[in-house]
Amino acid sequence: MSETILSLQHLTKHYGRIHAVNDLSLEVNKGEVYGILGPNGSGKTTTLGMILDVVNPTSGTYSWFGQPPSHTHRKRIGSILEQPIFYPYLTPLQNLKIVSLIKEVPASNAEELLKMVGLYERRHSKFSTFSYGMRQRMALAASLLCNPEVLILDEPTNGLDPQGIAEVRELIRTVAARGVTIILASHLLDEVQKTCSSVCVLDKGKRLFAGNVEEVLRETILVEVAAADPAKLEQALAGSPLIKSVERQHDVLLIKLEENVTAGDLNAALHAQGIVLSHLVQRKKTLENYFLELLKTAE
Amino acid sequence: MIRLIKIEFKKILSYRVFWLLVGFYAVSLTFMLIVAQVIINEILREAGQSAPIPLLKISLYQFPRIWNNLTYMAGFLTLFLAIIVIFFVCNEYSNKTFRQNIINGLSRNEFVLSKLYFILIISLAATLLILVVGLVLGLIHTKDVDFGDIFNSKLQFIAGYFVEAFCYLLFAFFIAFLLKKAGLAVITLLFYTMIEQILIWWKIPAEYVKFFPMKAFGRLVHFPKIPLPEINGSSIHFQDHVSLADTGIALLYAGILIFLIYRIMHKRDI
């Protein structure tokens, strides 16, 4: 069994009557790229705030590295929450020096990190003169300063240009390849699908799903079909044991197949009943479909 | 401890506004201490022209009384230091760097502690400045300087000023920490000082006055004894030593403030 890095038990945060996070339990294992997914206001940032001790949980507990929370754990974690935050009147090097003193690590690789994120030329400029994209890069450099065992990213590609987004993705891959555990909160499904191995879906502070991304995507096969006589097709499908559900989408029928049933099986069965399909497409299931489905069932 | 002081130092080292304010304070304080005697004697000369008996010129800078005189005058400028503390603390909130410090791995207690060290160092620096200015002025103005006159029991006023400054800055830190916004905190500090004063004039019996925070801090170094004939029935309270009871009250307030700051720190979402 793999080592548990982060464990949440019934973590709850209420702001007055608003339940920002509601009875959330989950586990993140060593080396995972773990996505926390949910629409805006679903409790992602509050959850990250709690595990970083800037938000006090209303109830519930969490543990880092199998131990009760302590600020010494945060020294082993690199994190970027919401916005990059630094002393505006200090230069990147001075800011990184403060981070290194807090984390009790040497600042010897500060210049190298600034080169990596492309800020070396601006190492003597004040942070306040930086553009948003540069600030984001600066935050990345700071989060890597301590050679983190865990990297926490909240909407890491927010406000970056396409090149920046590609770079951040590349960085996540490189860092993950080193065995660093990554926790990534995002509302961008595509981003999570491209980078994460496990995912937890939140809505209104509640956990809707937690598990492996590939499993989610493999679970069921979606097929679009259409025929010259739609009524007859629908009738034939209604009683078929091969399918889980049928849904009309514009002029095609969207079918969810039972497990271990392929699109070919369906085609053969319909053909045997004298129905010739004019349209048969196997849809690749995306996290987005799944996500929207989950949100629908939650309502 | 060294690490926390280092962190605070890094935060202000290249912060030009901070050093401008500190420099302005140091120059103002030195200037005030130097010109005070000239101004007071000018006032006395004016008053002396119409007085039935000639008023004597006074010297503020004779050892050992100088320590009492200078620390009393310096008390008027401590407000300026309080404003610097308020801006420095509130900046950490408005820039959200406080939150980022915690995320990076500073504990909440360490953050409070680092700010307490900061206040301690500021109070210490201000006290040292007064000590140095005092030594120079005293050596210039005292005839036949005796070593025992310089470093005698009147130096307790220097210690008294240090406690006064620390407690007062702690009060400013508390307000800044509570309210998070610099402008609001400065106004609250001034407003509170005013309200307390009005309340004392209006309702409070004299024996309870010393229990109010601003009074408690201010009484540590109170109105110095000056060689004027005491007027009968005068309500001016002259002081020739720092009262232990007053020190106790001030330190008790310091303890309460520190306790409250820690409480708020742990209850609050950052």
Side-chain angles (χ1 to χ4, degrees):
Chain A
M1 213 191 111
S2 53
E3 190 186 331
T4 304
I5 292 286
L6 170 68
S7 163
L8 272 59
Q9 287 107 24
H10 310 291
L11 212 55
T12 301
K13 178 67 183 179
H14 296 174
Y15 291 109
R17 285 168 58 197
I18 297 162
H19 294 196
V21 176
N22 209 342
D23 195 28
L24 180 64
S25 300
L26 58 87
E27 289 208 338
V28 179
N29 292 322
K30 192 174 168 65
E32 258 182 332
V33 181
Y34 197 97
I36 299 177
L37 193 56
N40 294 325
S42 58
K44 302 182 298 283
T45 300
T46 307
T47 304
L48 296 185
M50 283 192 280
I51 60 177
L52 291 168
D53 194 32
V54 290
V55 175
N56 291 320
T58 307
S59 65
T61 56
Y62 64 92
S63 65
W64 280 108
F65 309 106
Q67 289 161 5
S70 149
H71 67 281
T72 51
H73 296 144
R74 295 199 296 279
K75 292 175 186 166
R76 298 153 69 184
I77 300 168
S79 34
I80 311 162
L81 286 189
E82 288 167 309
Q83 285 166 3
I85 293 164
F86 294 95
Y87 290 90
Y89 48 83
L90 299 181
T91 67
L93 280 176
Q94 289 165 337
N95 268 304
L96 288 181
K97 180 71 192 165
I98 291 178
V99 176
S100 79
L101 280 168
I102 290 177
K103 289 191 173 296
E104 296 189 88
V105 292
S108 47
N109 58 345
E111 294 205 350
E112 191 188 319
L113 281 169
L114 287 179
K115 273 179 196 158
M116 191 190 90
V117 298
L119 287 176
Y120 186 70
E121 309 294 313
R122 295 293 297 270
R123 67 192 179 283
H124 296 307
S125 315
K126 284 181 185 171
F127 180 73
S128 58
T129 65
F130 283 13
S131 70
Y132 188 81
M134 291 163 80
R135 289 171 187 218
Q136 201 85 2
R137 287 155 192 268
M138 176 71 197
L140 279 173
S143 66
L144 295 175
L145 190 68
C146 63
N147 275 320
E149 290 164 61
V150 182
L151 194 59
I152 294 181
L153 304 156
D154 189 6
E155 311 283 4
T157 55
N158 225 355
L160 288 183
D161 55 16
Q163 191 199 348
I165 294 175
E167 280 172 12
V168 168
R169 289 218 178 110
E170 184 53 38
L171 180 93
I172 292 175
R173 264 188 280 271
T174 331
V175 174
R178 276 194 246 152
V180 175
T181 310
I182 295 178
I183 299 168
L184 168 75
S186 181
H187 65 273
L188 303 172
L189 300 137
D190 182 47
E191 185 164 284
V192 172
Q193 188 170 355
K194 280 193 176 130
T195 47
C196 295
S197 49
S198 297
V199 65
C200 157
V201 180
L202 290 185
D203 184 45
K204 297 183 186 115
K206 276 195 172 150
R207 188 180 103 170
L208 296 183
F209 170 84
N212 193 294
V213 173
E214 275 181 18
E215 268 170 35
V216 173
L217 301 180
R218 204 171 42 204
E219 208 180 38
T220 44
I221 299 171
L222 283 174
V223 179
E224 279 176 20
V225 291
D229 187 350
K232 199 175 169 193
L233 174 63
E234 230 169 323
Q235 205 181 357
L237 286 171
S240 170
L242 300 178
I243 64 175
K244 270 184 183 162
S245 66
V246 188
E247 195 184 324
R248 176 171 284 281
Q249 271 195 353
H250 309 295
D251 49 353
V252 299
L253 294 172
L254 189 64
I255 295 170
K256 243 190 240 174
L257 296 177
E258 283 289 351
E259 270 162 60
N260 303 320
V261 175
T262 66
D265 298 338
L266 179 73
N267 195 9
L270 289 172
H271 207 260
Q273 291 178 43
I275 298 169
V276 178
L277 293 174
S278 60
H279 175 88
L280 173 66
V281 174
Q282 182 169 333
R283 240 199 224 178
K284 195 170 184 321
K285 189 165 182 180
T286 61
L287 208 47
E288 187 162 341
N289 299 127
Y290 183 72
F291 183 64
L292 292 173
E293 251 172 61
L294 266 178
L295 291 185
K296 227 189 266 172
T297 45
E299 269 162 12
Chain B
M1 177 181 165
I2 298 293
R3 166 174 159 259
L4 294 180
I5 293 174
K6 254 187 178 170
I7 291 172
E8 289 306 286
F9 188 66
K10 287 282 171 198
K11 287 177 187 173
I12 53 170
L13 186 61
S14 303
Y15 191 11
R16 200 177 307 154
V17 179
F18 175 82
W19 292 110
L20 273 174
L21 290 174
V22 167
F24 183 75
Y25 166 80
V27 171
S28 312
L29 178 68
T30 312
F31 184 72
M32 181 181 86
L33 297 182
I34 291 172
V35 301
Q37 176 166 292
V38 180
I39 290 175
I40 290 174
N41 278 332
E42 186 58 27
I43 292 168
L44 284 177
R45 196 183 61 81
E46 295 261 322
Q49 285 172 348
S50 56
I53 45 161
L55 293 175
L56 292 173
K57 270 190 159 188
I58 63 159
S59 172
L60 298 172
Y61 307 136
Q62 302 272 345
F63 288 122
R65 273 206 318 274
I66 185 171
W67 302 126
N68 192 355
N69 296 333
L70 295 195
T71 48
Y72 174 69
M73 287 190 284
F76 291 106
L77 281 188
T78 316
L79 172 68
F80 197 81
L81 289 180
I83 291 171
I84 295 179
V85 167
I86 286 175
F87 273 94
F88 187 57
V89 172
C90 291
N91 257 348
E92 296 263 22
Y93 265 110
S94 57
N95 292 333
K96 291 189 177 176
T97 42
F98 168 32
R99 183 184 158 91
Q100 191 65 40
N101 281 176
I102 303 295
I103 289 171
N104 283 340
L106 210 61
S107 74
R108 293 180 182 215
N109 286 350
E110 279 177 336
F111 186 84
V112 173
L113 208 54
S114 69
K115 288 290 173 271
L116 291 181
Y117 288 144
F118 173 73
I119 291 174
L120 204 64
I121 289 171
I122 292 267
S123 323
L124 207 59
T127 310
L128 278 177
L129 180 65
I130 297 168
L131 190 68
V132 170
V133 172
L135 278 176
V136 173
L137 285 177
L139 287 172
I140 294 172
H141 289 90
T142 313
K143 287 174 199 126
D144 310 320
V145 183
D146 179 353
F147 196 74
D149 278 345
I150 304 176
F151 298 102
N152 78 347
S153 67
K154 293 288 179 211
L155 265 178
Q156 65 179 288
F157 285 103
I158 289 287
Y161 176 77
F162 171 67
V163 177
E164 174 185 329
F166 178 73
C167 292
Y168 189 62
L169 296 185
L170 195 60
F171 190 77
F173 172 32
F174 170 72
I175 290 178
F177 196 70
L178 189 70
L179 300 176
K180 303 180 188 176
K181 299 219 163 32
L184 193 62
V186 172
I187 290 170
T188 306
L189 178 66
L190 295 175
F191 198 65
Y192 174 78
T193 312
M194 216 169 71
I195 295 282
E196 191 190 285
Q197 194 60 54
I198 290 171
L199 200 67
I200 284 169
W201 271 333
W202 184 39
K203 277 270 189 241
I204 309 299
E207 65 265 36
Y208 297 126
V209 165
K210 63 181 173 201
F211 294 111
F212 284 77
M214 292 297 111
K215 283 287 167 199
F217 306 154
R219 279 170 62 95
L220 286 171
V221 179
H222 200 44
F223 204 75
K225 193 161 193 159
I226 45 172
L228 282 177
E230 281 204 33
I231 305 148
N232 263 351
S234 157
S235 63
I236 299 173
H237 165 80
F238 295 110
Q239 183 187 26
D240 62 357
H241 68 280
V242 178
S243 143
L244 271 183
D246 287 343
T247 313
I249 295 171
L251 289 179
L252 188 68
Y253 267 115
I256 292 170
L257 288 171
I258 292 174
F259 172 76
L260 287 176
I261 290 167
Y262 273 100
R263 274 293 291 237
I264 296 169
M265 178 58 130
H266 283 277
K267 289 242 159 173
R268 189 182 262 177
D269 290 338
I270 300 162

